[in-house]
Amino acid sequence: MTNYTHWFIRARLKTRQLLLLVALAEEGNIHRAAQVLNMTQPAASKLLKDLEDVLEVSLFERLPRGMRPTWYGETMIRHARVALASLNQAHDEVEALKAGRFGQVSVGSITAPGLVLLPPAVALVKQEHPSLRVSLQIETSDVLMERLVHGKLDMLVSRLFAQHDKSDLRYEVLTEEPVSAITRPGHPLLNVANLTLRDALSAGWIVPPVGSILRHRFELMFQEVGLEPPINVIETSALLFTTKMLQQSDMIGVVATDVARYYAAHGIVSILPMELPCHMDTFGIITRTDKLLSPAAKVMLKALKTTATSVYGSRFDPLSVD
């Protein structure tokens, strides 16, 4: 018989203590946190004190106008969010099974694989498991990573940057992401032979916001050939605005090549015959190693890897596909 000696069993950890940690982190005040959880302030204070006594550390600094997590508190809050999210997912899976559904999976992706990889992968899942519910979010890598850490997503197709904590993550690279310049169909530069950056310097450009990796590399691209970066720019990461703006102007947009090909295939834009030496970092499939994937998530992960093999020529460890 297994001997369960986990500290939280010995300490009789309560779910309401986890809820209180999260509420205190969000409200910064024990009175408001108690109201959110529909309990009295003395009861909330006792729950917190009991937990601090068990851990033998202070989880919050008591300030004149509220409370602030200590380093110990930050650690417990982070794991409390994960534990509560996991319990919610367990309930959702049980309810789905009771209703005759296979379950659900939440996937996050950056734009380019969201256009090229996810549609055929999701189609493969739905072909084999029509009742499996798939939720897809298209965001930047930083936003997606935060949602994965908080248990709001099961897996990502995105980039992994130096600032991300990789201790509990599995990253399986897919491909690099080249960049293309796009314009409206019929743009004058489309007819320029041997088009170079100098030919396009005076055009208006629609570029990613300052601070993004692509914006930095876009400006370096001009500097490396002895040119000042364009000053006539519009900053945005919104593709709908970009494509609409291109259609009614002679501006040039900078987007991932897969995105450019998608819009060009639908006649919305044309790709300038000019190689851009800047590119985005590689992206890949990211999952958590400290959390078991649900059966539905395993189905989605296998479909992603199967599809990535045909789309990008990716190769995976056979054991990582199951």
Side-chain angles (χ1 to χ4, degrees):
M1 182 176 178
T2 303
N3 181 22
Y4 291 101
T5 57
H6 300 299
W7 74 269
F8 51 82
I9 295 177
R10 298 194 305 272
R12 297 180 181 178
L13 182 71
K14 302 176 180 67
T15 306
R16 285 176 78 77
Q17 286 173 312
L18 301 180
L19 291 166
L20 178 60
L21 288 176
V22 175
L24 281 169
E26 294 176 351
E27 301 296 333
N29 178 289
I30 196 160
H31 177 68
R32 290 196 298 272
Q35 286 182 324
V36 168
L37 298 178
N38 197 26
M39 66 171 69
T40 65
Q41 183 171 330
S45 297
K46 185 177 186 309
L47 278 177
L48 178 59
K49 183 179 184 304
D50 289 346
L51 183 56
E52 289 181 322
D53 287 347
V54 167
L55 295 170
E56 299 180 341
V57 294
S58 293
L59 298 176
F60 289 86
E61 294 179 53
R62 276 66 171 177
L63 305 173
R65 298 198 175 201
M67 303 174 73
R68 180 172 61 201
T70 63
W71 281 4
Y72 303 113
E74 292 282 3
T75 298
M76 285 299 297
I77 289 164
R78 177 164 51 88
H79 287 284
R81 291 186 194 275
V82 172
L84 292 170
S86 183
L87 288 173
N88 275 328
Q89 288 181 338
H91 176 265
D92 290 344
E93 284 184 34
V94 170
E95 290 299 310
L97 292 171
K98 283 165 59 178
R101 300 192 302 270
F102 184 75
Q104 66 181 52
V105 58
S106 298
V107 186
S109 176
I110 56 176
T111 303
L115 285 173
V116 175
L117 176 65
L118 268 297
V122 172
L124 182 59
V125 168
K126 298 301 284 185
Q127 179 182 345
E128 298 178 357
H129 302 282
S131 62
L132 192 154
R133 291 172 57 195
V134 179
S135 171
L136 175 63
Q137 299 179 26
I138 305 291
E139 284 288 356
T140 62
S141 293
D142 282 332
V143 171
L144 294 174
M145 190 61 65
E146 182 179 0
R147 293 176 184 174
L148 180 71
V149 168
H150 288 165
K152 296 178 181 178
L153 292 170
D154 296 304
M155 65 196 67
L156 310 180
V157 182
S158 71
R159 297 182 185 86
L160 192 58
F161 297 131
Q163 68 267 26
H164 294 144
D165 181 359
K166 304 169 184 63
S167 55
D168 294 324
L169 299 177
R170 179 181 178 87
Y171 175 71
E172 298 174 90
V173 66
L174 291 178
T175 187
E176 280 192 336
E177 191 169 31
V179 175
S180 294
I182 56 174
T183 65
R184 63 173 176 82
H187 192 285
L189 288 178
L190 291 169
N191 298 319
V192 175
N194 302 316
L195 186 66
T196 66
L197 283 178
R198 186 176 296 277
D199 297 320
L201 183 62
S202 60
W205 288 76
I206 304 176
V207 295
V210 171
S212 66
I213 292 178
L214 181 53
R215 177 63 178 276
H216 173 66
R217 292 178 179 171
F218 170 80
E219 293 178 347
L220 280 180
M221 175 178 68
F222 285 90
Q223 292 170 353
E224 286 173 355
V225 294
L227 300 173
E228 287 294 322
I231 58 173
N232 179 12
V233 298
I234 297 174
E235 300 179 358
T236 183
S237 56
L239 283 171
L240 285 176
F241 172 84
T242 299
T243 53
K244 183 63 177 178
M245 192 70 194
L246 292 179
Q247 287 177 331
Q248 59 189 42
S249 73
D250 280 341
M251 299 192 80
I252 303 172
V254 183
V255 297
T257 297
D258 279 342
V259 175
R261 289 171 178 164
Y262 172 82
Y263 283 111
H266 289 78
I268 297 171
V269 303
S270 293
I271 300 176
L272 281 180
M274 174 177 61
E275 183 178 351
L276 298 187
C278 65
H279 65 274
M280 297 296 291
D281 291 339
T282 58
F283 58 82
I285 299 174
I286 304 174
T287 52
R288 290 175 48 173
T289 58
D290 62 339
K291 180 181 175 183
L292 292 175
L293 289 175
S294 68
K298 287 182 178 180
V299 168
M300 185 74 247
L301 182 60
K302 185 175 182 179
L304 278 176
K305 292 181 177 182
T306 299
T307 307
T309 299
S310 60
V311 172
Y312 302 122
S314 306
R315 294 291 181 266
F316 299 98
D317 176 354
L319 295 178
S320 76
V321 178
D322 297 324

